[in-house]
Amino acid sequence: MSGSTPFYQKHHRHYDRGYRSKELESAVSQYQSSSSSSYAARRSSSRASASAALSASSGHVIALHERTTPVPCSYTRLSSSYSDLEESRLSPMPKRAKPTYLAMDKENQIIGYVVPIFRGSHEYASGFSDTEEARVKESAGYMARRNLFTSGLEMERTEQTSRKVSMRESAERICLSKRIYENEEHHKRMNKDSLMHAPEFVIKPRSHTVWEKQCVRLHCTVSGWPEPRVVWYKNNVTIDPMAHPGKYKLESSYNVHSLEISRCDFDDTAQYRVSAMNSKGELSSFASIVVKRFKGEVEEALPMPRPRSTDNEDGLISEYGITFDTHIVDGFGVSFGREGETMSLGATVIISPNLARYQPEVQWYRDDVLLQPSKWCHMHWSGDKATLTLTHLNKEDEGLYTLRITTKSKYETYSAYVFVRDADAEVEGAPGAPLDVKCQDANKDYVIVTWKQPAVDGGSSILGYFVDRCEVGTTHWSQCNDTPIKFARFPVTGLVEGRSYTFRVRAVNKSGMSRPSRVSEVVAAMDPADRARMRGTSAPWTGQIIVTEEEPAEGVVPGRPKELEVTEATKNYVVLSWKPPGERGHEGIMYYVEKCVSGTDSWQRVNTEIPVKSPRFALFDLAEGKAYSFRVRCCNSAGVGEPSEATEATTVGDKLDIPSAPGRVVPTRNTDTSVVVSWEASRDAKELVGYYIEASIVGSNKFEPCNNKPVKGTRFICHGLVTGESYVFRVKALNAAGLSECSQQSEAIEVKAAIASPTPPYGISVLECVRDSMVLAWKQPTFIGGADITGYFVDYREVINGVPGTWHEANVKAVSDRAYRVSDLKENRKYQFQVRAANMAGVGIPSLPSGTFVCEEWTIAVPGPPHDLQVTEVRANTLVLLYKPPVYQGRDPVNGFYIDIKEADAEEEAWRGVNEKAVLTNYMKIKSLKEGETYVFRVRAQNKAGVGKSSEPTEPVLAETKPGTTEIVVDVDDDGVISMNFACSNLTPDSKFVWSKNYEEITDDTRITVATSGEKSKATFNMPAEDDIGIYSCAVTHTDGACSSYTLSAEELKKLLELSHDHKFPIIPLKTELAVELQEKGRIRFWLQAEKISANGKIEYVFNDNSLSQGEKYKMNFNKDTGVIEMIMESLLPEDEGTFTFQLQDGKATNQSSLVLIGDVFKGLQKESAFMRKEWHRKQGPHFVEYLSYEVTPECCVILKCKVGNIKKETVALWYKDGREVKGDEKLTFTEGVLKLEIAQISKKDAGVYEIVLKDDRGQDTSTLNLTEQGFRDLMNEVFSNIANSSTALKIQSTDEGIRLYSFVSYYNEALQVTWHHKDAAIAFTDRIKSGVVGEQLWLQITEPTEKDKGKYAIEFHDGKGGLKRTVELSGQAFDDAYAEFQRLKAAAIAERNRARVAGGLPDVVTIQELKALNLTCNISGEPLPEVVWLKNEREIVSDGHYVMKFEAGKYASFTITTVNTTDSGKYSILVKNKYGTESADFTVSVFSPDSKK
């Protein structure tokens, strides 16, 4: 069946009848009928020929080449297909009429499609063959295919030739009729009276019924002159596509007007009207659209939709009778990203009421263009938050992003700008990547790639651009141009027809290559007509397919190409464009391009090797500045046609000039981080792409781009600027030719928020009312416009019978307070009021009218409401509430205030009092707040009559400490001046520090002087006294509530005054008082350290009220860097006993410190000094650094050692014990200044007094160690301690006698004392329980153990200190296992003792002479008595006369051979055995005869 489907239907996914548009079918029918009747009425003379031609075209089939475009729906477009025929008279061969593939009946109604039977997509794809062989093969293939469907070739050819001639004649008649018709139309236009007429609907819009979320289109055709203006209406409300981006789309083309509605919903169910109007009149036509929903999609819990309410002011339809309220909160702000990063934009959407499963329509726009989900942007809706994720940022993503939330009741939008900066260049100094790469004018083998230049050139001008292409399905990028081109447009040729490509662009400067741009959209190399058929709307499907024959192809040489022109010319290339010829046969055609230098007749073919398939061609390598003419020839298998008309001479060079520099640049303030920049557009700029704006901090001379994507307007908001900095701006324009010169720099502007008029005040209330006046109060505007409010204006109007009157000014001069008395009112009349705020920018808009108040005198006894509530000093747990007393006092004066508090979202019943006792002040610090909670406050005043009405509540206040919050710091300087200091880092240019006492601004400087510098302000007390006690606060205007307070109480004032006195009469602070220490040689050092003393400080040294001076006895020193003051004496004499004093003076600061050295303190210091002096003299020769001591090694070896210093080769060391010199041997070592004497196994004989003498020619030194009595005991205890520490854990061993417990030590000394314990009691040793030592093993033997012997055993080593115990548990399984092993060993020992044994007496070899007697005897033991057997050569011997064997007394066995002969030689054995075992003994008997021996 695939062969019966038209080729233009195969491009669609669905080509069944349901996919076709029924409105299109109807429109085509109306176009055909109306056009035919109109044509007949205007020209009766040509009606017959035109009708005949149309009938011929309807009743027959015209076979065209494979690139024929389907006929559009309108007759205007149908007739345009014949436009090529008007030049047929100038062609050597007549052109064919362009056929249609729609089959029509006599009434020109479409009845089906016409399908040629001789069609093949590859039949003429190759053009003409290069060789004769290929041409023959092609012709043979064609003939074979044709013969499959034809018979009687000659007859068919004759019939088809006549048909061909007939169709050509019909086409010529149609062409002639069309030319006559167009000539008449032209003359009508020249005659205005006959031309102008009122609008007329040729085709009216048709009503539709569609399903929800489908798209629908209404279209109509309107005639009239002048051309009518067409407006679409929905329920008589004009449709504005800009107000509903993406919802409505209006199109007008060739008098065909359409309205397209995207994703229809219930709101789109309405009556639509289209109105056409010109100077001759107006005409309207109506159509209805009904939107249906599939059953089950409506939530059951929702009521049915209500009809439109006529009193709905917004003209919106409420779905299900519910009005949705939409709020976008937590929106995204101005964002900055970098290429390659991922960015998410999100906002929280609150829709009330909150209905389950209800989802609003969420749309995202960039620069008012609706975004669709793609690999570059992902959209997500979570039920309460809309998120747009830009997965890989590129500069194309820069722009104004808008979130649009649409419900059935209304829509809300939220917008913010996104800036995308260039990624870091791969090569330093390389330019940024180009952007917005697009493909235009795509054809079979040709496409034009365009892009926009980057804003960043890397510091040097861009030399040009390289264009890369990549075939879809591959990853290989190939460069399209060998040399960089500066023009931002490049024709790419050499594409393969039918394949798809993507492109990218790279910029290059002298530093290197930029990163590649984002790739373009995929573009297919194909004929534009085929692309239009694939994208356009197909003809309506009627269910009929008419199959006819197509006349066979004939070799027709193509005609001349038409309308050849130079569409683009730069110094790098020239682009030619033309239209195919009318006569070209059935096969495809290709083209040769020829050029000629102007002034010559020498034509040169450009593409000699490969002809081009597209009617576009780009010529490169032309000489810049020369003029050329061009012409084109067509060719196919039949040959090369005649050339086209030559173009006019074209000079090679850039035709598009770089735009001129923009005009004057004017910056204006916007916010504290942005500036609005406007400029004059470039003059006479052609094909302007946009502008780049650059900014530079004044003085830096370094410009940075503000936008990386060109903007088309002449106004732009530059974001991301530093608050408080001054900037200058400049602008550059760009088009495809390049970037313009920079405009002149703007004037410098400081970045700060712009000043605007304030927003309206609100919360108007009445504070007092008398007969002819009322006192009003109101709240400050939420936005003051960036400048202080200079005053307020009050208006009033009288309300009579509910009808408000005219507004009147209550005050001509602005009032500064937020309360004002309106006079000249009339008693018992009703009034409304409004208030306007003013600042230096002007007077703002008035507030909403207040409620209606009656002007009547108040007579209540209690006071009126307080007013002007202000919250300040907000912290996480505290804040200060300020308020003003009521204007109306009541019968008695106000004597206190009560403050109420509640959470902001709590009910009215949640109000609670803060203070139980009324406060008299107009302020109160509220404590114990919960951090993060939002509160509101109100105040009530009281007098003797009671508590009055509460004030208006404050705005909600969040209890939190804002980042950067600072507090007042109290300081006392060096002169004793007391000051309060406050700093604020969030200042704005208009910020001021305002100091207050008890929350009333300080205006009198008699007691306090205020000085402000930069971000700091200081309030200095002139003469601190009790009058200064109070609460001091400092507030900074034009900030986010920067304020702090300090309470100066009586106690705090006393402390500050004391500190001030100390500063006025300073004392040099000391880190340390005067002290004394001994130094080398016994020198005495008196010293102290001052904490702070200048280089001009002076020191006075005093002893017993006598001043000391530098000399031989006293050495003074003062280190000014460290503040250390010292005095050094060589020695202390008796006359030096007394008091030493250091007196310090540094300017007016003084101090002193004394040290008393008398009595025992002086004598002790003098003695220690003498000793240290003696020690110093000792150390001048060989001496002991460490005196003689001992060390016990882990092996319990004792080493006597000492460390010596200042030795030389001649130094001698002599060891003595008890006055006797110890012989020097290998044990005496003298290395590294350490002397050692080793005692390997110490015992009592080693006790004594050891001495070592160190001497040489410089002197000697002696060290003694007493190792007698207690000294020796201490040494042995350390030895015992090492032995104990080396002991192993107690182990259990079974023997044949009992159980043995044992432990090993590394060394045993006979003096070691050990105690064995059983169950924590010392063991009394008996014959059954014994202890002992074997080598290094200490054991306890338990003979024949019993149950009583179970328990915990321990061995205790005594070392004169705490000792050491090793324990083991002999009980349970451990005892059972040991006892069983003991029994086994005991039994084995008994068996070993009682088994049969041969005790000895038998020789190994016996040599005996023949005939002698042999007697051998051995001892036998064993219990019971063993059995004795004698063997000879392993055989038992029986006692007889020759062998005599005896076993006597149970222990003597004898063996006798009475007469030995040679046969008695052999191996003999005795075998003894009993129940415990068997044992044998062997001997050999060798018998010799005397003769043989001789």
Side-chain angles (χ1 to χ4, degrees), residues 38-55:
S38 175
Y39 179 74
R42 298 177 186 274
R43 184 62 180 174
S44 58
S45 59
S46 59
R47 179 174 57 188
S49 58
S51 300
L54 287 174
S55 299

Side-chain angles (χ1 to χ4, degrees), residues 877-888:
N877 305 109
T878 63
L879 58 80
V880 175
L881 179 65
L882 309 179
Y883 44 88
K884 291 183 179 180
V887 177
Y888 178 73

Side-chain angles (χ1 to χ4, degrees), residues 1379-1399:
Y1379 187 82
E1381 181 65 12
F1382 153 67
Q1383 293 291 344
R1384 187 186 68 79
L1385 293 175
K1386 180 179 178 181
I1390 294 174
E1392 183 64 23
R1393 288 195 302 269
N1394 295 331
R1395 71 180 177 87
R1397 297 176 183 272
V1398 180

